[in-house]
PDB file of all heavy atoms in Angstrom:
ATOM      1  N   TYR D  96     -12.288  -1.187 -22.212  1.00 93.00           N
ATOM      2  CA  TYR D  96     -13.419  -1.371 -23.130  1.00 93.00           C
ATOM      3  C   TYR D  96     -13.107  -0.814 -24.521  1.00 93.00           C
ATOM      4  O   TYR D  96     -13.743  -1.195 -25.494  1.00 93.00           O
ATOM      5  CB  TYR D  96     -14.744  -0.843 -22.583  1.00 93.00           C
ATOM      6  CG  TYR D  96     -14.807   0.579 -22.050  1.00 93.00           C
ATOM      7  CD1 TYR D  96     -14.116   1.628 -22.631  1.00 93.00           C
ATOM      8  CD2 TYR D  96     -15.624   0.864 -20.953  1.00 93.00           C
ATOM      9  CE1 TYR D  96     -14.201   2.914 -22.142  1.00 93.00           C
ATOM     10  CE2 TYR D  96     -15.726   2.153 -20.446  1.00 93.00           C
ATOM     11  CZ  TYR D  96     -15.007   3.173 -21.046  1.00 93.00           C
ATOM     12  OH  TYR D  96     -15.098   4.454 -20.564  1.00 93.00           O
ATOM     13  N   GLN D 126     -24.658   1.258 -24.067  1.00 96.00           N
ATOM     14  CA  GLN D 126     -24.614   2.232 -25.171  1.00 96.00           C
ATOM     15  C   GLN D 126     -23.466   1.929 -26.139  1.00 96.00           C
ATOM     16  O   GLN D 126     -23.569   2.188 -27.335  1.00 96.00           O
ATOM     17  CB  GLN D 126     -24.499   3.657 -24.636  1.00 96.00           C
ATOM     18  CG  GLN D 126     -25.677   4.073 -23.781  1.00 96.00           C
ATOM     19  CD  GLN D 126     -27.007   3.929 -24.515  1.00 96.00           C
ATOM     20  OE1 GLN D 126     -27.204   4.499 -25.585  1.00 96.00           O
ATOM     21  NE2 GLN D 126     -27.915   3.141 -23.944  1.00 96.00           N
ATOM     22  N   SER D 165     -22.537   9.526 -23.282  1.00 97.00           N
ATOM     23  CA  SER D 165     -21.481   8.675 -22.725  1.00 97.00           C
ATOM     24  C   SER D 165     -20.156   8.946 -23.434  1.00 97.00           C
ATOM     25  O   SER D 165     -20.048   8.824 -24.653  1.00 97.00           O
ATOM     26  CB  SER D 165     -21.867   7.194 -22.902  1.00 97.00           C
ATOM     27  OG  SER D 165     -20.723   6.378 -22.783  1.00 97.00           O
ATOM     28  N   ASP D 307     -15.738  14.529 -12.575  1.00 98.00           N
ATOM     29  CA  ASP D 307     -14.384  14.179 -12.115  1.00 98.00           C
ATOM     30  C   ASP D 307     -13.733  15.301 -11.304  1.00 98.00           C
ATOM     31  O   ASP D 307     -12.619  15.134 -10.806  1.00 98.00           O
ATOM     32  CB  ASP D 307     -13.492  13.793 -13.310  1.00 98.00           C
ATOM     33  CG  ASP D 307     -13.968  12.518 -13.981  1.00 98.00           C
ATOM     34  OD1 ASP D 307     -14.744  11.779 -13.360  1.00 98.00           O
ATOM     35  OD2 ASP D 307     -13.565  12.266 -15.129  1.00 98.00           O
ATOM     36  N   ILE D 329     -24.256  12.454 -12.866  1.00 96.00           N
ATOM     37  CA  ILE D 329     -23.709  11.475 -13.818  1.00 96.00           C
ATOM     38  C   ILE D 329     -23.734  10.071 -13.203  1.00 96.00           C
ATOM     39  O   ILE D 329     -24.122   9.108 -13.860  1.00 96.00           O
ATOM     40  CB  ILE D 329     -22.250  11.833 -14.210  1.00 96.00           C
ATOM     41  CG1 ILE D 329     -22.153  13.277 -14.727  1.00 96.00           C
ATOM     42  CG2 ILE D 329     -21.700  10.836 -15.242  1.00 96.00           C
ATOM     43  CD1 ILE D 329     -22.841  13.574 -16.022  1.00 96.00           C
TER      44      ILE D 329
HETATM   45  N1  EPU F   1     -23.718   4.904 -19.168  1.00 81.20           N
HETATM   46  C1  EPU F   1     -24.721   4.021 -19.476  1.00 81.20           C
HETATM   47  N2  EPU F   1     -24.486   3.123 -20.466  1.00 81.20           N
HETATM   48  C2  EPU F   1     -23.304   3.086 -21.159  1.00 81.20           C
HETATM   49  C3  EPU F   1     -22.298   4.000 -20.829  1.00 81.20           C
HETATM   50  C4  EPU F   1     -22.535   4.906 -19.819  1.00 81.20           C
HETATM   51  O1  EPU F   1     -25.801   4.027 -18.872  1.00 81.20           O
HETATM   52  O2  EPU F   1     -23.169   2.244 -22.048  1.00 81.20           O
HETATM   53  C5  EPU F   1     -23.960   5.892 -18.099  1.00 81.20           C
HETATM   54  C6  EPU F   1     -22.975   5.713 -16.951  1.00 81.20           C
HETATM   55  O3  EPU F   1     -23.438   4.742 -16.034  1.00 81.20           O
HETATM   56  C7  EPU F   1     -22.916   7.089 -16.366  1.00 81.20           C
HETATM   57  C8  EPU F   1     -23.057   7.983 -17.604  1.00 81.20           C
HETATM   58  O4  EPU F   1     -23.650   7.169 -18.606  1.00 81.20           O
HETATM   59  O5  EPU F   1     -24.012   7.298 -15.527  1.00 81.20           O
HETATM   60  C9  EPU F   1     -21.777   8.577 -18.151  1.00 81.20           C
HETATM   61  O6  EPU F   1     -20.809   7.541 -18.302  1.00 81.20           O
HETATM   62  P1  EPU F   1     -19.630   7.629 -19.374  1.00 81.20           P
HETATM   63  O7  EPU F   1     -19.807   6.514 -20.333  1.00 81.20           O
HETATM   64  O8  EPU F   1     -19.569   9.015 -19.916  1.00 81.20           O
HETATM   65  O9  EPU F   1     -18.384   7.352 -18.465  1.00 81.20           O
HETATM   66  P2  EPU F   1     -17.127   6.448 -18.809  1.00 81.20           P
HETATM   67  O10 EPU F   1     -16.821   6.536 -20.258  1.00 81.20           O
HETATM   68  O11 EPU F   1     -17.287   5.108 -18.209  1.00 81.20           O
HETATM   69  C10 EPU F   1     -15.397   8.352 -18.542  1.00 81.20           C
HETATM   70  C11 EPU F   1     -14.171   8.579 -17.710  1.00 81.20           C
HETATM   71  C12 EPU F   1     -14.570   8.850 -16.267  1.00 81.20           C
HETATM   72  C13 EPU F   1     -15.552  10.024 -16.222  1.00 81.20           C
HETATM   73  C14 EPU F   1     -16.740   9.790 -17.167  1.00 81.20           C
HETATM   74  C15 EPU F   1     -17.675  10.985 -17.257  1.00 81.20           C
HETATM   75  C16 EPU F   1     -12.541   7.218 -18.816  1.00 81.20           C
HETATM   76  C17 EPU F   1     -11.670   6.015 -18.794  1.00 81.20           C
HETATM   77  N3  EPU F   1     -13.318   7.398 -17.764  1.00 81.20           N
HETATM   78  O12 EPU F   1     -16.015   7.205 -17.990  1.00 81.20           O
HETATM   79  O13 EPU F   1     -13.359   9.234 -15.635  1.00 81.20           O
HETATM   80  O14 EPU F   1     -16.058  10.159 -14.905  1.00 81.20           O
HETATM   81  O15 EPU F   1     -16.248   9.493 -18.490  1.00 81.20           O
HETATM   82  O16 EPU F   1     -16.977  12.109 -17.718  1.00 81.20           O
HETATM   83  O17 EPU F   1     -12.493   8.004 -19.748  1.00 81.20           O
HETATM   84  C18 EPU F   1     -11.916   9.608 -13.855  1.00 81.20           C
HETATM   85  O18 EPU F   1     -11.096  10.023 -14.686  1.00 81.20           O
HETATM   86  O19 EPU F   1     -11.766   9.730 -12.617  1.00 81.20           O
HETATM   87  C19 EPU F   1     -13.134   8.948 -14.330  1.00 81.20           C
HETATM   88  C20 EPU F   1     -13.901   8.201 -13.560  1.00 81.20           C
END
Side-chain angles (χ1 to χ4, degrees):
Y96 52 37
Q126 298 304 303
S165 161
D307 294 343
I329 306 293

